Amino acid sequence: MFKFYFTLILSTLFLTFLGATNPTGDLRLEVISAYNFVVDSNSPESGPSSAYVGVEVCNDGANDLTDVVVNIGDFNAGTPGVYPSNTVSFGYSGTFSFEHSGNCDDTDAIRNIGTIAAGECVTQYWLLEYPVVDASGKSTIGANSLDDDLTLDFDYWATADDGGTPLAADDSWTVTLRSMISAMANKSAPNGTNKVPSEYLAAIEEELGWRPDIGSASAGSEFELQGVWYDLGNINKGYDNDGDFIPDYNIFMQPVGDPSKFDPCCYKLTKTYGLIIVKLTDGTEHLIPFEDQLYFSDIPDNNRGAVGLVFYEFLPVSAPCSSALTPYQCVASGRDNEKYNGDFGASFGAPSSSPPDIAFDKTGPVTSGTAPPATGLTYNLAVTNNDSEPAGIPAFSMPLVISDAIPAGTDYAVGTATYIGTPTATIEFSIDNGATWTTVEPSPANLVTNIRWWLNDVLASGATVTASFDVDLPSFTIPVIENEGGVGFGSDDPFITDDAATIVLGTNSIGDTVFEDDGGTTGTLGNGTQDGDEGGVAGIEIYLFLDANGDGILDGNDVALDTVTTDGSGNYSFDNLPDGDFLVIINDTDPDLPVGW
């Protein structure tokens, strides 16, 4: 956690904390969001159409909470990533809702946090897109009235385990789409000495020990740090958001207003922090250091302007890829009036991520060892971090995760999921192909469809960890056990995979003779039958494939099983095969083939 102690400028620090609204046991949720989202009053489709919202998940108890999962979407419908609909009667055309930006694999709206220590909080951010016009092109802010501005909702909910006691918490938030006067006047810029006064940069560097800059990072290994300088200007009376009949003196700063230029599947916002400097009419400065806040109300009414330096901390979650920030600000500018500035044309660079240098090797038995039923077929999954940086960020729901599915036709063997290495790992099981997970091994064990190993800390540079599990083969259901494992970050898809194939032993054989069909001295030329004194050809390489689709043609779906060489009489045999369709292919480039045949 970052703490700010500025000694360069004397001031009273002003911090705003939201009160608890939904405590359930020791699990508490707090939303991080503005009340109003920006719609450009002059040209809606040229202004912002996305904003980040956050949820702080807190453990208020004395014991660690485990298996913590937080969701955003429609709680009543049970649809993470799909939001409540709003059909309005103000002359709009259509039905409206938030759209989840970056739900690349339908899991981004579900964040598996794991463990939250006693007394600590973890923050998660999501980028939401919102409609600025309806289906007919009408602005969603309606006419010149506050009563017909479109409102949209999102729900957030979480579950956790408190020493065997299940906990749950949920809450909702309503956002109003508000008319904002656009003011494209170079009000935001990348952090740098060209805009930020050197005394502020020096104060921040003195406290934090670094100055943020754009660069590149390995996915899941390093953070991208982007500092944005906002020239907020004078802050006046805005909308009355808290219903106290007093207009709020508020500001709102966002890193992404144009979602078409930013890829949330590449970068995940993990933290916001910075400093707001409010110039007061008495000649002093009022400092507001903050952490994980996006919206600020009750700015001192005796201000004569403000500036802000915000650091956005992004974690690359895939690679290679890049994204451009399109920051904007919203500032109260008079009773029931607010203005925004986007400067979407400003150059904020495009941070790029590179794949982490992770080696992954999945191995398994070449054959089932015995004909079915067979037991104790072991699969090992070894992960080595060859990168110069540690891999995985567990604190932001982005640990390294090793995953595998129980191969079709086999049963998971009870109690065989193991893990060796540092850091430790939490083993989870699924009985519904990864839709839900539990740390308790299901009974009976053959219900298990998937296993994953969540590393509880970063994987150090040069370190190797190994996960393993066994399966049993109850019957002749498949000729080959095919299985692919993977390594990813959190609940995201694996960024690296490897597979292993195991031949299931049976009682069948395929074999015959390779011979020159030249008729010899007493046979018939080219009749496909070894007659007369036609001799076999020795030393010819023969391949055996599983004809996976049964079409009798070697194609991309077929699996290579074995290779043999003909003996001195040209004979070959593939033994211990299960029932199935197979292809036998001669290596037609073998140098032992007779010339011209």
Side-chain angles (χ1 to χ4, degrees):
M1 180 175 293
F2 294 92
K3 296 182 179 180
F4 299 83
Y5 301 97
F6 292 95
T7 57
L8 181 67
I9 304 171
L10 297 177
S11 173
T12 300
L13 300 185
F14 174 85
L15 295 172
T16 299
F17 295 99
L18 297 175
T21 57
N22 57 359
T24 303
D26 294 330
L27 178 65
R28 176 170 54 87
L29 302 178
E30 301 287 0
V31 70
I32 302 172
S33 175
Y35 293 96
N36 306 305
F37 282 178
V38 176
V39 177
D40 189 331
S41 59
N42 297 322
S43 179
E45 293 178 289
S46 298
S49 60
S50 63
Y52 273 101
V53 300
V55 175
E56 191 175 44
V57 188
C58 295
N59 177 5
D60 293 335
N63 302 315
D64 291 354
L65 295 181
T66 60
D67 302 331
V68 182
V69 179
V70 61
N71 309 262
I72 189 170
D74 188 336
F75 174 71
N76 291 326
T79 54
V82 179
Y83 296 84
S85 297
N86 183 6
T87 302
V88 293
S89 56
F90 297 124
Y92 297 115
S93 174
T95 300
F96 305 89
S97 65
F98 282 117
E99 180 179 343
H100 195 97
S101 185
N103 210 18
C104 318
D105 56 2
D106 298 325
T107 61
D108 181 66
I110 307 171
R111 302 283 177 85
N112 190 319
I113 298 174
T115 299
I116 299 180
E120 294 190 356
C121 297
V122 173
T123 300
Q124 299 291 313
Y125 287 102
W126 292 273
L127 185 64
L128 302 186
E129 299 179 34
Y130 55 90
V132 294
V133 295
D134 69 1
S136 66
K138 177 181 177 181
S139 173
T140 52
I141 58 176
N144 294 324
S145 169
L146 298 182
D147 297 330
D148 59 0
D149 294 345
L150 181 66
T151 61
L152 300 174
D153 302 318
F154 62 87
D155 304 326
Y156 48 99
W157 63 99
T159 56
D161 183 272
D162 186 3
T165 300
L167 301 181
D170 65 270
D171 213 339
S172 300
W173 190 262
T174 298
V175 174
T176 303
L177 304 187
R178 295 293 198 188
S179 172
M180 301 278 182
I181 304 169
S182 61
M184 306 296 281
N186 297 319
K187 292 286 189 176
S188 56
N191 171 49
T193 55
N194 61 322
K195 290 288 290 185
V196 183
S198 59
E199 61 265 28
Y200 296 132
L201 288 175
I204 292 168
E205 186 170 22
E206 180 181 349
E207 297 300 325
L208 301 182
W210 50 264
R211 299 190 186 198
D213 198 1
I214 300 173
S216 63
S218 298
S221 298
E222 303 172 8
F223 288 109
E224 284 289 356
L225 300 169
Q226 174 65 69
V228 178
W229 177 259
Y230 294 92
D231 186 355
L232 301 165
N234 186 61
I235 302 164
N236 209 325
K237 298 175 181 178
Y239 297 111
D240 176 20
N241 294 304
D242 55 12
D244 62 357
F245 303 104
I246 301 175
D248 297 335
Y249 288 71
N250 62 278
I251 55 177
F252 178 41
M253 294 166 286
Q254 281 282 326
V256 177
D258 185 350
S260 68
K261 297 180 180 179
F262 186 82
D263 183 5
C265 305
C266 177
Y267 283 95
K268 179 182 291 186
L269 179 64
T270 58
K271 195 168 190 61
T272 63
Y273 47 94
L275 176 68
I276 298 170
I277 305 105
V278 183
K279 308 285 186 176
L280 302 179
T281 55
D282 62 4
T284 63
E285 292 178 324
H286 181 71
L287 301 187
I288 307 175
F290 66 90
E291 188 174 287
D292 285 325
Q293 285 184 262
L294 297 172
Y295 176 81
F296 303 83
S297 59
D298 299 327
I299 300 297
D301 58 6
N302 64 329
N303 75 87
R304 56 185 180 89
V307 293
L309 179 58
V310 184
F311 301 151
Y312 300 104
E313 198 166 88
F314 292 91
L315 178 65
V317 295
S318 62
C321 57
S322 62
S323 288
L325 299 184
T326 49
Y328 64 97
Q329 64 189 44
C330 173
V331 179
S333 59
R335 182 177 291 273
D336 292 336
N337 280 307
E338 297 186 4
K339 62 183 178 182
Y340 95 90
N341 177 271
D343 294 336
F344 287 170
S347 175
F348 282 83
S352 60
S353 66
S354 59
D357 189 2
I358 299 291
F360 176 54
D361 184 27
K362 177 176 179 178
T363 57
V366 177
T367 70
S368 61
T370 59
T375 59
L377 306 180
T378 301
Y379 291 89
N380 296 300
L381 303 93
V383 180
T384 301
N385 181 13
N386 293 321
D387 207 288
S388 60
E389 297 290 334
I393 313 290
F396 293 101
S397 190
M398 291 293 295
L400 273 181
V401 176
I402 309 169
S403 60
D404 210 327
I406 303 304
T410 70
D411 294 333
Y412 167 68
V414 60
T416 59
T418 61
Y419 173 88
I420 300 174
T422 302
T424 61
T426 298
I427 304 176
E428 295 186 333
F429 303 87
S430 175
I431 62 173
D432 50 15
N433 299 305
T436 60
W437 296 87
T438 176
T439 56
V440 178
E441 183 177 278
S443 180
N446 61 8
L447 294 175
V448 175
T449 60
N450 300 76
I451 308 175
R452 64 186 183 186
W453 295 260
W454 286 70
L455 274 62
N456 295 321
D457 205 342
V458 299
L459 181 62
S461 176
T464 298
V465 296
T466 303
S468 66
F469 66 97
D470 289 4
V471 297
D472 297 332
L473 183 66
S475 61
F476 286 101
T477 56
I478 51 174
V480 177
I481 302 172
E482 293 184 89
N483 186 232
E484 181 180 85
V487 179
F489 295 112
S491 297
D492 294 330
D493 287 340
F495 59 81
I496 184 171
T497 61
D498 194 21
D499 54 32
T502 302
I503 302 173
V504 177
L505 297 185
T507 59
N508 301 307
S509 296
I510 292 176
D512 210 320
T513 305
V514 176
F515 64 95
E516 288 187 68
D517 194 10
D518 59 1
T521 57
T522 58
T524 302
L525 173 68
N527 65 350
T529 301
Q530 189 178 14
D531 53 11
D533 57 356
E534 294 171 329
V537 182
I540 304 299
E541 196 171 39
I542 310 292
Y543 305 132
L544 178 69
F545 289 84
L546 171 67
D547 189 6
N549 54 15
D551 63 357
I553 301 172
L554 181 62
D555 51 37
N557 295 320
D558 299 329
V559 181
L561 298 181
D562 200 3
T563 303
V564 297
T565 302
T566 57
D567 63 16
S569 300
N571 298 319
Y572 70 92
S573 180
F574 297 100
D575 301 317
N576 303 118
L577 299 178
D579 295 345
D581 296 321
F582 299 88
L583 297 170
V584 176
I585 307 294
I586 291 178
N587 178 5
D588 58 8
T589 64
D590 194 306
D592 290 319
L593 282 176
V595 177
W597 290 82

